[in-house]
Amino acid sequence: MLEQEIKSQLNEYLKLLENDLVLKVQIGSDKVSQEVDELVNEIASMSDRITIEPGDFPRTPSFSINQKGSEDSGVVFAGVPLGHEFTSLVLALLQVSGRPPKTDEKVIEQIKQLEGPLHFETYVSLSCQNCPDVVQALNLMSVVNPAITHTMVEGSAFKEEVESKDVMAVPAVFLNGESFINGRQTLESILETLGSTVDISELNDKEAFDVLVVGGGPAGASAAIYAARKGIRTGIVAERFGGQVQDTMGIENFITTKYTEGPKLVANLEEHVRDYDVDIMNSMRAKSLAKKDLFELELENGATLKSKTVIVSTGARWRNIGVPGEAEFKNKGVAYCPHCDGPIFEGKDVAVVGGGNSGIEAAIDLAGIVKHVTVLEFLPELKADKVLQERLFSLPNVTVITNARTSEIYGSDKVEGIRYVDRETEEEHTVELAGVFIQIGLVPNTEWLEGTVDRSKFGEILVDKRGATSVPGIFAAGDCTDSAYKQIIISMGSGATASLGAFDHLIRN
Ligand SMILES: Cc1cc2nc3c(=O)[nH]c(=O)nc-3n(C[C@H](O)[C@H](O)[C@H](O)COP(=O)(O)OP(=O)(O)OC[C@H]3O[C@@H](n4cnc5c(N)ncnc54)[C@H](O)[C@@H]3O)c2cc1C
């Protein structure tokens, strides 16, 4: 069942098992059960530390991973954890066996303090790149705290359940049977939602930094590495390490690497940053920045960090269309991530709003899964690259409507259709459908700097050739700036530039 390359990777990982494992398995006679049966048997055949026993679970097929002779870990997979969830499976095997996770001791302590019972269930699709973060965080929580259990539910194997629970975006997490959270999360943000907060006195007491980077995407990671290599005190605050790259499928233009995938590149970025003496503060959001004796960065959690210089690299996020129904039906049919949520709309009609490269790529991907895709573009023609347009127009289940101003997304408890106005005739039209994917570009994450540094009319931070902003000592890099092009390699370059600029500033002041 496993491809040879994956099998040899798994072989290497299984050598790292700390204790013997028992996989408890419940299967039926259906196709997915056969796949699960094949998978667990293949894993067990690769290590004499793993045995299989029958299990008892509410869903068929399911299997749990447990340490031999210990209480059950609570880590359960319902369906086949391959695709993007393969890493979740490998990590679960290692962590349940007793291998310590690469997680801050303070966070582990926070998990141990949680009071149960907390039974989590996460609905995923195997093509979702945001799902493994959530699955891995909750699996880790189950391993660390016996009052916590977690079941990953592979949506396509349990379609009726997905429909009955109205899951329209993944990952969708339920806690003790009630809807808990949707969409991408980190371990820290899950803990925060559970009411377990970080001790901000430790943050307030931190010695001032020489360079404090705000944002952990390619620009921030590169800025932090360049600063740390100068031997100066460097910190990095990020709401979500990896930034947009976490949401990227294939990357083919990262020079020296012919092909990689977002999460893999993010793992490499993090590993590279961790190689240096950089204080990484993840899952923390900057709220404001003020110049006093030093720069003071206020965080949403109430803490304040001090630094001699600051590099802002807060990147960008999906732009909303701002029509009635968009906010109301978010995760109820309105989606922004085709790779994550596309499979949920299998066999249904959807629309993609936006005819640029990301919109047309989304439409092409979705056309392979859903029944029909309607592309709505505001301008008289699509803006996507010719090669993408050619691919799109070769597909039988796509309709392209240009000159269309989206006016409303409507429904009752979930999306039932979209309305648009033909900009030539001013006539309103309705398309009945189940999902709307919005792909109309990005906005810079710079609102929190209102009144602090000069920004363009689009909100982009204005920088000079050294990455310096209008305030001496504040530098900026990447997609949050007015750089002409927004790409990974460009962000990394500008992160390096801003870092060298900050170092020069420190020497001269
Ligand atoms: C779907 C998709 C596909 C793409 N494909 C490619 C591709 O194939 N090749 C390519 O070169 N480029 C691609 N790009 C573009 C590329 O991902 C971006 O140009 C690049 O990630 C920008 O890096 P950045 O570090 O400037 O910002 P981001 O990647 O946006 O990172 C911003 C960071 O700042 C953090 N942050 C935001 N606000 C705050 C705050 N208030 N406080 C603290 N932290 C904050 C975020 O959590 C994140 O860590 C793609 C983008 C998308 C969305």
Side-chain angles (χ1 to χ4, degrees):
M1 163 168 221
L2 296 172
E3 285 169 19
Q4 198 45 49
E5 196 189 324
I6 291 189
K7 213 170 161 175
S8 37
Q9 278 174 22
L10 185 59
N11 231 331
E12 290 306 306
Y13 286 122
L14 293 181
K15 289 181 190 154
L16 304 174
L17 292 178
E18 299 276 337
N19 284 288
D20 290 355
L21 294 176
V22 180
L23 307 183
K24 294 191 177 172
V25 190
Q26 172 172 292
I27 50 163
S29 52
D30 55 292
K31 190 168 159 278
V32 186
S33 285
Q34 279 170 27
E35 288 172 23
V36 167
D37 190 37
E38 237 179 275
L39 176 67
V40 291
N41 277 294
E42 199 159 349
I43 294 172
S45 73
M46 289 164 75
S47 168
D48 52 16
R49 303 202 79 165
I50 303 179
T51 47
I52 299 177
E53 277 178 15
D56 184 13
F57 303 99
R59 294 179 188 85
T60 307
S62 291
F63 69 97
S64 65
I65 303 176
N66 310 288
Q67 217 182 86
K68 196 169 185 176
S70 296
E71 255 187 53
D72 282 3
S73 69
V75 176
V76 180
F77 292 93
V80 188
L82 288 179
H84 285 301
E85 292 303 339
F86 179 67
T87 317
S88 306
L89 172 64
V90 173
L91 283 175
L93 289 164
L94 294 177
Q95 289 170 0
V96 172
S97 86
R99 202 156 177 89
K102 287 185 191 158
T103 307
D104 197 302
E105 254 318 304
K106 288 188 205 95
V107 178
I108 298 287
E109 211 34 58
Q110 259 180 283
I111 300 171
K112 284 185 182 161
Q113 300 303 324
L114 292 170
E115 281 178 28
L118 301 173
H119 299 299
F120 293 98
E121 291 164 313
T122 307
Y123 293 85
V124 303
S125 70
L126 297 183
S127 56
C128 161
Q129 293 196 305
N130 293 325
C131 296
D133 280 355
V134 176
V135 171
Q136 287 161 28
L138 292 167
N139 281 348
L140 171 65
M141 286 168 63
S142 311
V143 173
V144 169
N145 184 332
I148 301 176
T149 66
H150 175 237
T151 303
M152 180 218 81
V153 185
E154 202 276 287
S156 71
F158 298 93
K159 279 190 185 141
E160 276 175 24
E161 192 178 326
V162 165
E163 295 252 331
S164 72
K165 289 205 161 172
D166 263 348
V167 173
M168 301 198 75
V170 287
V173 183
F174 286 71
L175 170 58
N176 297 336
E178 298 290 324
S179 177
F180 175 58
I181 40 175
N182 262 102
R184 63 191 190 199
Q185 301 284 332
T186 59
L187 177 53
E188 288 86 349
S189 68
I190 295 170
L191 289 171
E192 206 180 314
T193 313
L194 287 167
S196 166
T197 47
V198 282
D199 180 2
I200 65 164
S201 63
E202 276 189 32
L203 292 166
N204 286 330
D205 291 346
K206 278 185 196 275
E207 191 192 321
F209 293 96
D210 292 311
V211 172
L212 181 58
V213 180
V214 190
S222 150
I225 290 170
Y226 265 72
R229 284 174 61 81
K230 295 284 185 193
I232 55 181
R233 188 166 151 67
T234 306
I236 183 165
V237 176
E239 189 181 1
R240 178 176 169 247
F241 198 90
Q244 292 167 66
V245 182
Q246 289 275 22
D247 304 329
T248 306
M249 279 291 271
I251 300 168
E252 295 176 346
N253 56 2
F254 187 63
I255 311 308
T256 71
T257 306
K258 281 191 211 157
Y259 178 83
T260 186
E261 292 185 350
K264 194 166 173 205
L265 182 56
V266 171
N268 291 344
L269 269 181
E270 188 169 345
E271 197 184 335
H272 200 172
V273 175
R274 285 191 189 279
D275 241 21
Y276 291 93
D277 191 10
V278 175
D279 187 343
I280 302 178
M281 292 159 276
N282 201 6
S283 287
M284 294 190 199
R285 204 176 146 77
K287 187 177 174 191
S288 66
L289 179 62
K291 170 90 176 108
K292 300 197 175 155
D293 283 348
L294 295 166
F295 287 107
E296 295 197 1
L297 182 78
E298 191 194 350
L299 304 180
E300 297 269 3
N301 62 18
T304 301
L305 300 166
K306 298 191 180 70
S307 185
K308 293 180 190 158
T309 62
V310 173
I311 299 173
V312 180
S313 54
T314 45
R317 63 177 185 279
W318 298 115
R319 185 186 293 278
N320 294 332
I321 26 177
V323 297
E326 182 182 21
E328 193 184 335
F329 295 115
K330 193 168 176 205
N331 298 330
K332 294 281 166 212
V334 172
Y336 297 82
C337 177
H339 306 303
C340 310
D341 300 331
I344 292 170
F345 297 93
E346 189 183 344
K348 297 184 177 161
D349 292 343
V350 302
V352 172
V353 179
N357 278 346
S358 51
I360 299 313
E361 275 177 26
I364 294 168
D365 276 2
L366 288 165
I369 304 168
V370 304
K371 190 164 146 217
H372 186 269
V373 185
T374 304
V375 177
L376 296 177
E377 164 57 46
F378 183 82
L379 294 172
E381 68 279 329
L382 298 182
K383 287 285 160 219
D385 294 344
K386 199 162 171 272
V387 48
L388 288 175
Q389 292 197 37
E390 280 168 7
R391 253 172 57 210
L392 182 79
F393 286 113
S394 73
L395 299 171
N397 57 342
V398 176
T399 307
V400 176
I401 304 172
T402 53
N403 247 337
R405 184 173 67 239
T406 304
S407 51
E408 187 189 355
I409 298 165
Y410 68 90
S412 45
D413 53 344
K414 53 187 172 189
V415 168
E416 288 169 8
I418 190 165
R419 291 190 227 284
Y420 68 92
V421 174
D422 181 325
R423 292 171 63 227
E424 231 169 69
T425 62
E426 282 302 315
E427 264 174 45
E428 189 171 69
H429 299 267
T430 297
V431 184
E432 286 183 13
L433 40 72
V436 178
F437 287 82
I438 295 168
Q439 301 282 309
I440 55 163
L442 300 162
V443 264
N445 295 316
T446 60
E447 295 86 347
W448 63 283
L449 288 165
E450 174 84 57
T452 312
V453 291
D454 288 349
R455 295 178 302 153
S456 72
K457 64 177 179 186
F458 305 111
E460 297 169 331
I461 301 169
L462 305 178
V463 287
D464 70 10
K465 62 183 179 190
R466 289 186 168 72
T469 68
S470 56
V471 177
I474 304 181
F475 294 77
D479 280 16
C480 65
T481 71
D482 62 338
S483 74
Y485 305 105
K486 315 300 199 226
Q487 288 284 283
I488 296 165
I489 204 156
I490 294 171
S491 291
M492 286 185 175
S494 72
T497 303
S499 200
L500 295 172
F503 185 67
D504 270 356
H505 176 88
L506 285 168
I507 292 173
R508 285 164 214 264
N509 289 278

